[in-house]
Amino acid sequence: MNAMNTHYPEPVRVEPVNRHTLAVIVDNEPGVLARISGMFSGRGYNIESLTVSETEEARHLSRITIVTAGTNAVIDQIKAQLDRLVPVHRVVDLTLHGGAIEREICLVKVRGEGEHRSEALRLAAAFGAKTLDATLNSFVFELTGSTEEVDRFVRLMSVIGLVEICRTGIAAMARGAEAL
C-alpha cells in the first residue's frame, strides 16, 4: 500500500512536452550530420526542423539548428548525448536563453484565377510576402517569418488553391551581444 493507506496506485505524473531550439557548433566534415541525426533516430527522438550551414570557413565550423520536443529530462539527455559526439564543439539550448529570434523562409505556389487571383495577392500583401513568379494562372510567393506566421499563411493559401510548399526550416539566434 502507498503512504495514504489506500489500494489505489499513486497517480502517474505527466511531465509537459516542450519544444526546444538547439544550436550545435560542429566540425564541417563529411558524416557529421549523419552522426547527429543517427543519434536522434537511434534513441527514438524526433527532429521537427533541421538547418545546417558552414559559418566559419577559416576554422571549418558549421552551425546546426535543431528543433525538437520532449520533457525536460529528455531535452537534457539529448543535449548531453550531442555534447559527447566527437565533432561537436558546443551545444546551446536557445529556448533557455530568453526568447531567441527564429525565422523560416517558405516558398508557396498558389493557383490563382479570377476572384482567387486577387485574394491571393491581397493575402500575400497582408503577410508581407514577395511575389517571385506570376503567370496567368499561378503565383509563387516567398514569406519570411516565424513558424506560426508561415503556418497561418499556408492555411489561408490552402483555401485559395495551394499547389506546392517548400520550407527551409528554422534559423535561430539568441538575442543580445554575446556570440554562441
Side-chain angles (χ1 to χ4, degrees):
M1 286 203 268
N2 61 25
M4 296 183 64
N5 290 331
T6 177
H7 293 289
Y8 294 105
E10 292 284 335
V12 177
R13 286 186 342 150
V14 178
E15 286 189 58
V17 173
N18 299 312
R19 178 182 169 272
H20 284 255
T21 303
L22 306 175
V24 185
I25 304 298
V26 299
D27 289 331
N28 185 17
E29 60 185 36
V32 172
L33 184 59
R35 291 182 68 190
I36 288 175
S37 63
M39 188 279 298
F40 272 80
S41 66
R43 288 163 179 80
Y45 305 139
N46 188 40
I47 296 174
E48 294 179 10
S49 174
L50 177 73
T51 57
V52 184
S53 183
E54 184 175 53
T55 55
E56 294 184 47
E57 189 175 342
R59 294 177 54 204
H60 302 290
L61 295 178
S62 290
R63 180 180 177 135
I64 301 174
T65 305
I66 302 169
V67 178
T68 189
T71 63
N72 290 338
V74 167
I75 296 299
D76 288 341
Q77 187 177 31
I78 288 171
K79 290 188 292 189
Q81 289 168 348
L82 282 171
D83 223 5
R84 280 195 290 260
L85 292 176
V86 172
V88 173
H89 291 270
R90 189 155 183 222
V91 178
V92 176
D93 189 344
L94 295 174
T95 306
L96 302 178
H97 280 220
I101 300 166
E102 295 184 358
R103 290 293 176 261
E104 185 174 358
I105 298 174
C106 182
L107 300 177
V108 179
K109 186 183 290 185
V110 180
R111 217 173 276 111
E113 295 175 349
E115 177 87 15
H116 292 293
R117 186 170 183 79
S118 59
E119 186 61 25
L121 287 170
R122 272 194 298 271
L123 283 172
F127 276 84
K130 288 195 273 184
T131 304
L132 299 180
D133 184 54
T135 66
L136 294 174
N137 56 6
S138 70
F139 294 104
V140 175
F141 298 112
E142 173 190 331
L143 177 66
T144 302
S146 68
T147 300
E148 294 78 20
E149 287 176 278
V150 171
D151 288 342
R152 278 195 320 270
F153 184 68
V154 168
R155 272 195 309 273
L156 289 170
M157 288 299 182
S158 66
V159 174
I160 293 173
L162 187 65
V163 175
E164 188 177 356
I165 305 169
C166 180
R167 294 173 81 155
T168 61
I170 293 172
M173 186 173 285
R175 295 179 186 274
E178 296 83 29
L180 186 65

PDB file of all heavy atoms in Angstrom, residues 48-75:
ATOM      1  N   GLU A  48      12.063  18.093 -35.477  1.00  0.00           N
ATOM      2  CA  GLU A  48      10.969  18.813 -36.126  1.00  0.00           C
ATOM      3  C   GLU A  48      11.478  19.744 -37.216  1.00  0.00           C
ATOM      4  O   GLU A  48      10.789  20.002 -38.191  1.00  0.00           O
ATOM      5  CB  GLU A  48      10.174  19.597 -35.080  1.00  0.00           C
ATOM      6  CG  GLU A  48       9.447  18.705 -34.104  1.00  0.00           C
ATOM      7  CD  GLU A  48       8.677  19.477 -33.053  1.00  0.00           C
ATOM      8  OE1 GLU A  48       8.544  20.717 -33.168  1.00  0.00           O
ATOM      9  OE2 GLU A  48       8.209  18.836 -32.101  1.00  0.00           O
ATOM     10  N   SER A  49      12.678  20.296 -37.025  1.00  0.00           N
ATOM     11  CA  SER A  49      13.282  21.189 -38.009  1.00  0.00           C
ATOM     12  C   SER A  49      14.791  21.057 -37.898  1.00  0.00           C
ATOM     13  O   SER A  49      15.325  20.878 -36.804  1.00  0.00           O
ATOM     14  CB  SER A  49      12.866  22.641 -37.752  1.00  0.00           C
ATOM     15  OG  SER A  49      13.549  23.519 -38.622  1.00  0.00           O
ATOM     16  N   LEU A  50      15.471  21.158 -39.056  1.00  0.00           N
ATOM     17  CA  LEU A  50      16.916  20.995 -39.090  1.00  0.00           C
ATOM     18  C   LEU A  50      17.486  21.895 -40.171  1.00  0.00           C
ATOM     19  O   LEU A  50      17.067  21.814 -41.328  1.00  0.00           O
ATOM     20  CB  LEU A  50      17.258  19.529 -39.387  1.00  0.00           C
ATOM     21  CG  LEU A  50      18.721  19.157 -39.537  1.00  0.00           C
ATOM     22  CD1 LEU A  50      19.393  19.165 -38.175  1.00  0.00           C
ATOM     23  CD2 LEU A  50      18.835  17.773 -40.152  1.00  0.00           C
ATOM     24  N   THR A  51      18.396  22.783 -39.805  1.00  0.00           N
ATOM     25  CA  THR A  51      19.107  23.603 -40.787  1.00  0.00           C
ATOM     26  C   THR A  51      20.594  23.522 -40.487  1.00  0.00           C
ATOM     27  O   THR A  51      21.001  23.477 -39.325  1.00  0.00           O
ATOM     28  CB  THR A  51      18.660  25.081 -40.759  1.00  0.00           C
ATOM     29  OG1 THR A  51      18.857  25.604 -39.453  1.00  0.00           O
ATOM     30  CG2 THR A  51      17.217  25.232 -41.141  1.00  0.00           C
ATOM     31  N   VAL A  52      21.393  23.509 -41.555  1.00  0.00           N
ATOM     32  CA  VAL A  52      22.830  23.364 -41.417  1.00  0.00           C
ATOM     33  C   VAL A  52      23.524  24.267 -42.429  1.00  0.00           C
ATOM     34  O   VAL A  52      23.102  24.337 -43.582  1.00  0.00           O
ATOM     35  CB  VAL A  52      23.285  21.912 -41.693  1.00  0.00           C
ATOM     36  CG1 VAL A  52      24.780  21.760 -41.452  1.00  0.00           C
ATOM     37  CG2 VAL A  52      22.502  20.919 -40.894  1.00  0.00           C
ATOM     38  N   SER A  53      24.589  24.927 -41.995  1.00  0.00           N
ATOM     39  CA  SER A  53      25.396  25.714 -42.908  1.00  0.00           C
ATOM     40  C   SER A  53      26.755  25.989 -42.283  1.00  0.00           C
ATOM     41  O   SER A  53      26.864  26.123 -41.061  1.00  0.00           O
ATOM     42  CB  SER A  53      24.714  27.042 -43.230  1.00  0.00           C
ATOM     43  OG  SER A  53      25.474  27.765 -44.172  1.00  0.00           O
ATOM     44  N   GLU A  54      27.769  26.083 -43.135  1.00  0.00           N
ATOM     45  CA  GLU A  54      29.087  26.463 -42.651  1.00  0.00           C
ATOM     46  C   GLU A  54      29.025  27.923 -42.214  1.00  0.00           C
ATOM     47  O   GLU A  54      28.501  28.768 -42.932  1.00  0.00           O
ATOM     48  CB  GLU A  54      30.142  26.284 -43.751  1.00  0.00           C
ATOM     49  CG  GLU A  54      31.542  26.570 -43.263  1.00  0.00           C
ATOM     50  CD  GLU A  54      32.599  26.273 -44.302  1.00  0.00           C
ATOM     51  OE1 GLU A  54      32.465  26.800 -45.426  1.00  0.00           O
ATOM     52  OE2 GLU A  54      33.530  25.532 -43.984  1.00  0.00           O
ATOM     53  N   THR A  55      29.545  28.201 -41.029  1.00  0.00           N
ATOM     54  CA  THR A  55      29.500  29.565 -40.510  1.00  0.00           C
ATOM     55  C   THR A  55      30.881  30.185 -40.359  1.00  0.00           C
ATOM     56  O   THR A  55      31.002  31.399 -40.361  1.00  0.00           O
ATOM     57  CB  THR A  55      28.781  29.610 -39.148  1.00  0.00           C
ATOM     58  OG1 THR A  55      29.423  28.693 -38.262  1.00  0.00           O
ATOM     59  CG2 THR A  55      27.314  29.264 -39.289  1.00  0.00           C
ATOM     60  N   GLU A  56      31.901  29.374 -40.182  1.00  0.00           N
ATOM     61  CA  GLU A  56      33.261  29.880 -40.044  1.00  0.00           C
ATOM     62  C   GLU A  56      34.165  29.083 -40.972  1.00  0.00           C
ATOM     63  O   GLU A  56      34.662  28.017 -40.623  1.00  0.00           O
ATOM     64  CB  GLU A  56      33.741  29.753 -38.598  1.00  0.00           C
ATOM     65  CG  GLU A  56      32.979  30.627 -37.623  1.00  0.00           C
ATOM     66  CD  GLU A  56      33.556  30.551 -36.230  1.00  0.00           C
ATOM     67  OE1 GLU A  56      34.801  30.649 -36.085  1.00  0.00           O
ATOM     68  OE2 GLU A  56      32.761  30.384 -35.296  1.00  0.00           O
ATOM     69  N   GLU A  57      34.371  29.630 -42.177  1.00  0.00           N
ATOM     70  CA  GLU A  57      35.147  28.923 -43.197  1.00  0.00           C
ATOM     71  C   GLU A  57      36.589  28.697 -42.762  1.00  0.00           C
ATOM     72  O   GLU A  57      37.145  27.623 -42.980  1.00  0.00           O
ATOM     73  CB  GLU A  57      35.097  29.710 -44.508  1.00  0.00           C
ATOM     74  CG  GLU A  57      35.674  28.961 -45.681  1.00  0.00           C
ATOM     75  CD  GLU A  57      35.500  29.711 -46.975  1.00  0.00           C
ATOM     76  OE1 GLU A  57      34.664  30.631 -47.042  1.00  0.00           O
ATOM     77  OE2 GLU A  57      36.216  29.366 -47.921  1.00  0.00           O
ATOM     78  N   ALA A  58      37.214  29.688 -42.133  1.00  0.00           N
ATOM     79  CA  ALA A  58      38.618  29.580 -41.733  1.00  0.00           C
ATOM     80  C   ALA A  58      38.844  28.462 -40.706  1.00  0.00           C
ATOM     81  O   ALA A  58      39.868  27.780 -40.744  1.00  0.00           O
ATOM     82  CB  ALA A  58      39.108  30.909 -41.175  1.00  0.00           C
ATOM     83  N   ARG A  59      37.874  28.266 -39.813  1.00  0.00           N
ATOM     84  CA  ARG A  59      38.009  27.235 -38.772  1.00  0.00           C
ATOM     85  C   ARG A  59      37.285  25.950 -39.144  1.00  0.00           C
ATOM     86  O   ARG A  59      37.276  24.999 -38.367  1.00  0.00           O
ATOM     87  CB  ARG A  59      37.478  27.772 -37.445  1.00  0.00           C
ATOM     88  CG  ARG A  59      38.352  28.920 -36.922  1.00  0.00           C
ATOM     89  CD  ARG A  59      37.821  29.537 -35.648  1.00  0.00           C
ATOM     90  NE  ARG A  59      37.590  28.556 -34.606  1.00  0.00           N
ATOM     91  CZ  ARG A  59      36.730  28.737 -33.606  1.00  0.00           C
ATOM     92  NH1 ARG A  59      36.048  29.857 -33.518  1.00  0.00           N
ATOM     93  NH2 ARG A  59      36.568  27.821 -32.693  1.00  0.00           N
ATOM     94  N   HIS A  60      36.637  25.912 -40.308  1.00  0.00           N
ATOM     95  CA  HIS A  60      35.884  24.744 -40.791  1.00  0.00           C
ATOM     96  C   HIS A  60      34.810  24.314 -39.787  1.00  0.00           C
ATOM     97  O   HIS A  60      34.724  23.153 -39.397  1.00  0.00           O
ATOM     98  CB  HIS A  60      36.814  23.573 -41.113  1.00  0.00           C
ATOM     99  CG  HIS A  60      37.840  23.912 -42.135  1.00  0.00           C
ATOM    100  ND1 HIS A  60      37.528  24.118 -43.455  1.00  0.00           N
ATOM    101  CD2 HIS A  60      39.175  24.111 -42.035  1.00  0.00           C
ATOM    102  CE1 HIS A  60      38.617  24.422 -44.129  1.00  0.00           C
ATOM    103  NE2 HIS A  60      39.635  24.436 -43.294  1.00  0.00           N
ATOM    104  N   LEU A  61      34.005  25.297 -39.372  1.00  0.00           N
ATOM    105  CA  LEU A  61      32.921  25.026 -38.434  1.00  0.00           C
ATOM    106  C   LEU A  61      31.580  25.267 -39.102  1.00  0.00           C
ATOM    107  O   LEU A  61      31.434  26.175 -39.913  1.00  0.00           O
ATOM    108  CB  LEU A  61      33.039  25.921 -37.200  1.00  0.00           C
ATOM    109  CG  LEU A  61      34.250  25.710 -36.304  1.00  0.00           C
ATOM    110  CD1 LEU A  61      34.241  26.705 -35.157  1.00  0.00           C
ATOM    111  CD2 LEU A  61      34.313  24.288 -35.786  1.00  0.00           C
ATOM    112  N   SER A  62      30.606  24.451 -38.729  1.00  0.00           N
ATOM    113  CA  SER A  62      29.236  24.626 -39.193  1.00  0.00           C
ATOM    114  C   SER A  62      28.325  24.777 -37.997  1.00  0.00           C
ATOM    115  O   SER A  62      28.653  24.346 -36.887  1.00  0.00           O
ATOM    116  CB  SER A  62      28.776  23.416 -40.016  1.00  0.00           C
ATOM    117  OG  SER A  62      29.438  23.373 -41.250  1.00  0.00           O
ATOM    118  N   ARG A  63      27.175  25.373 -38.249  1.00  0.00           N
ATOM    119  CA  ARG A  63      26.156  25.536 -37.213  1.00  0.00           C
ATOM    120  C   ARG A  63      24.935  24.732 -37.632  1.00  0.00           C
ATOM    121  O   ARG A  63      24.436  24.881 -38.741  1.00  0.00           O
ATOM    122  CB  ARG A  63      25.793  27.004 -37.065  1.00  0.00           C
ATOM    123  CG  ARG A  63      24.740  27.263 -36.010  1.00  0.00           C
ATOM    124  CD  ARG A  63      24.457  28.751 -35.949  1.00  0.00           C
ATOM    125  NE  ARG A  63      23.404  29.042 -35.002  1.00  0.00           N
ATOM    126  CZ  ARG A  63      23.464  30.024 -34.129  1.00  0.00           C
ATOM    127  NH1 ARG A  63      24.518  30.803 -34.087  1.00  0.00           N
ATOM    128  NH2 ARG A  63      22.458  30.244 -33.318  1.00  0.00           N
ATOM    129  N   ILE A  64      24.482  23.892 -36.735  1.00  0.00           N
ATOM    130  CA  ILE A  64      23.283  23.099 -36.962  1.00  0.00           C
ATOM    131  C   ILE A  64      22.223  23.609 -35.998  1.00  0.00           C
ATOM    132  O   ILE A  64      22.476  23.705 -34.793  1.00  0.00           O
ATOM    133  CB  ILE A  64      23.537  21.595 -36.712  1.00  0.00           C
ATOM    134  CG1 ILE A  64      24.652  21.090 -37.638  1.00  0.00           C
ATOM    135  CG2 ILE A  64      22.260  20.790 -36.889  1.00  0.00           C
ATOM    136  CD1 ILE A  64      25.062  19.657 -37.369  1.00  0.00           C
ATOM    137  N   THR A  65      21.071  23.970 -36.526  1.00  0.00           N
ATOM    138  CA  THR A  65      19.954  24.389 -35.685  1.00  0.00           C
ATOM    139  C   THR A  65      18.926  23.274 -35.718  1.00  0.00           C
ATOM    140  O   THR A  65      18.424  22.913 -36.783  1.00  0.00           O
ATOM    141  CB  THR A  65      19.346  25.710 -36.183  1.00  0.00           C
ATOM    142  OG1 THR A  65      20.383  26.694 -36.251  1.00  0.00           O
ATOM    143  CG2 THR A  65      18.254  26.189 -35.248  1.00  0.00           C
ATOM    144  N   ILE A  66      18.632  22.722 -34.554  1.00  0.00           N
ATOM    145  CA  ILE A  66      17.716  21.587 -34.429  1.00  0.00           C
ATOM    146  C   ILE A  66      16.543  22.006 -33.552  1.00  0.00           C
ATOM    147  O   ILE A  66      16.743  22.521 -32.457  1.00  0.00           O
ATOM    148  CB  ILE A  66      18.408  20.372 -33.779  1.00  0.00           C
ATOM    149  CG1 ILE A  66      19.623  19.944 -34.597  1.00  0.00           C
ATOM    150  CG2 ILE A  66      17.426  19.220 -33.608  1.00  0.00           C
ATOM    151  CD1 ILE A  66      20.506  18.924 -33.900  1.00  0.00           C
ATOM    152  N   VAL A  67      15.339  21.760 -34.035  1.00  0.00           N
ATOM    153  CA  VAL A  67      14.146  21.962 -33.217  1.00  0.00           C
ATOM    154  C   VAL A  67      13.601  20.577 -32.899  1.00  0.00           C
ATOM    155  O   VAL A  67      13.385  19.751 -33.785  1.00  0.00           O
ATOM    156  CB  VAL A  67      13.083  22.808 -33.944  1.00  0.00           C
ATOM    157  CG1 VAL A  67      11.839  22.945 -33.084  1.00  0.00           C
ATOM    158  CG2 VAL A  67      13.643  24.179 -34.300  1.00  0.00           C
ATOM    159  N   THR A  68      13.431  20.321 -31.609  1.00  0.00           N
ATOM    160  CA  THR A  68      12.929  19.035 -31.155  1.00  0.00           C
ATOM    161  C   THR A  68      11.988  19.270 -29.976  1.00  0.00           C
ATOM    162  O   THR A  68      11.875  20.389 -29.476  1.00  0.00           O
ATOM    163  CB  THR A  68      14.097  18.090 -30.764  1.00  0.00           C
ATOM    164  OG1 THR A  68      13.588  16.777 -30.518  1.00  0.00           O
ATOM    165  CG2 THR A  68      14.848  18.595 -29.546  1.00  0.00           C
ATOM    166  N   ALA A  69      11.311  18.242 -29.549  1.00  0.00           N
ATOM    167  CA  ALA A  69      10.382  18.371 -28.421  1.00  0.00           C
ATOM    168  C   ALA A  69      10.586  17.208 -27.459  1.00  0.00           C
ATOM    169  O   ALA A  69      10.940  16.101 -27.874  1.00  0.00           O
ATOM    170  CB  ALA A  69       8.936  18.390 -28.917  1.00  0.00           C
ATOM    171  N   GLY A  70      10.351  17.486 -26.177  1.00  0.00           N
ATOM    172  CA  GLY A  70      10.476  16.449 -25.168  1.00  0.00           C
ATOM    173  C   GLY A  70      10.301  17.039 -23.783  1.00  0.00           C
ATOM    174  O   GLY A  70      10.206  18.250 -23.616  1.00  0.00           O
ATOM    175  N   THR A  71      10.278  16.156 -22.817  1.00  0.00           N
ATOM    176  CA  THR A  71      10.238  16.605 -21.428  1.00  0.00           C
ATOM    177  C   THR A  71      11.590  17.216 -21.086  1.00  0.00           C
ATOM    178  O   THR A  71      12.563  17.058 -21.833  1.00  0.00           O
ATOM    179  CB  THR A  71       9.947  15.426 -20.485  1.00  0.00           C
ATOM    180  OG1 THR A  71      11.027  14.490 -20.594  1.00  0.00           O
ATOM    181  CG2 THR A  71       8.625  14.742 -20.803  1.00  0.00           C
ATOM    182  N   ASN A  72      11.675  17.884 -19.970  1.00  0.00           N
ATOM    183  CA  ASN A  72      12.954  18.485 -19.557  1.00  0.00           C
ATOM    184  C   ASN A  72      14.053  17.435 -19.448  1.00  0.00           C
ATOM    185  O   ASN A  72      15.195  17.678 -19.841  1.00  0.00           O
ATOM    186  CB  ASN A  72      12.797  19.244 -18.247  1.00  0.00           C
ATOM    187  CG  ASN A  72      11.978  20.510 -18.414  1.00  0.00           C
ATOM    188  OD1 ASN A  72      11.861  21.042 -19.511  1.00  0.00           O
ATOM    189  ND2 ASN A  72      11.405  20.974 -17.327  1.00  0.00           N
ATOM    190  N   ALA A  73      13.707  16.269 -18.935  1.00  0.00           N
ATOM    191  CA  ALA A  73      14.697  15.196 -18.798  1.00  0.00           C
ATOM    192  C   ALA A  73      15.180  14.717 -20.167  1.00  0.00           C
ATOM    193  O   ALA A  73      16.379  14.481 -20.363  1.00  0.00           O
ATOM    194  CB  ALA A  73      14.104  14.035 -18.002  1.00  0.00           C
ATOM    195  N   VAL A  74      14.274  14.587 -21.109  1.00  0.00           N
ATOM    196  CA  VAL A  74      14.639  14.148 -22.455  1.00  0.00           C
ATOM    197  C   VAL A  74      15.521  15.188 -23.137  1.00  0.00           C
ATOM    198  O   VAL A  74      16.536  14.850 -23.757  1.00  0.00           O
ATOM    199  CB  VAL A  74      13.379  13.841 -23.303  1.00  0.00           C
ATOM    200  CG1 VAL A  74      13.711  13.690 -24.773  1.00  0.00           C
ATOM    201  CG2 VAL A  74      12.690  12.590 -22.779  1.00  0.00           C
ATOM    202  N   ILE A  75      15.175  16.469 -23.014  1.00  0.00           N
ATOM    203  CA  ILE A  75      15.972  17.533 -23.631  1.00  0.00           C
ATOM    204  C   ILE A  75      17.365  17.554 -23.009  1.00  0.00           C
ATOM    205  O   ILE A  75      18.368  17.684 -23.732  1.00  0.00           O
ATOM    206  CB  ILE A  75      15.277  18.906 -23.485  1.00  0.00           C
ATOM    207  CG1 ILE A  75      13.933  18.916 -24.243  1.00  0.00           C
ATOM    208  CG2 ILE A  75      16.192  20.024 -23.965  1.00  0.00           C
ATOM    209  CD1 ILE A  75      14.020  18.677 -25.735  1.00  0.00           C
TER     210      ILE A  75
END
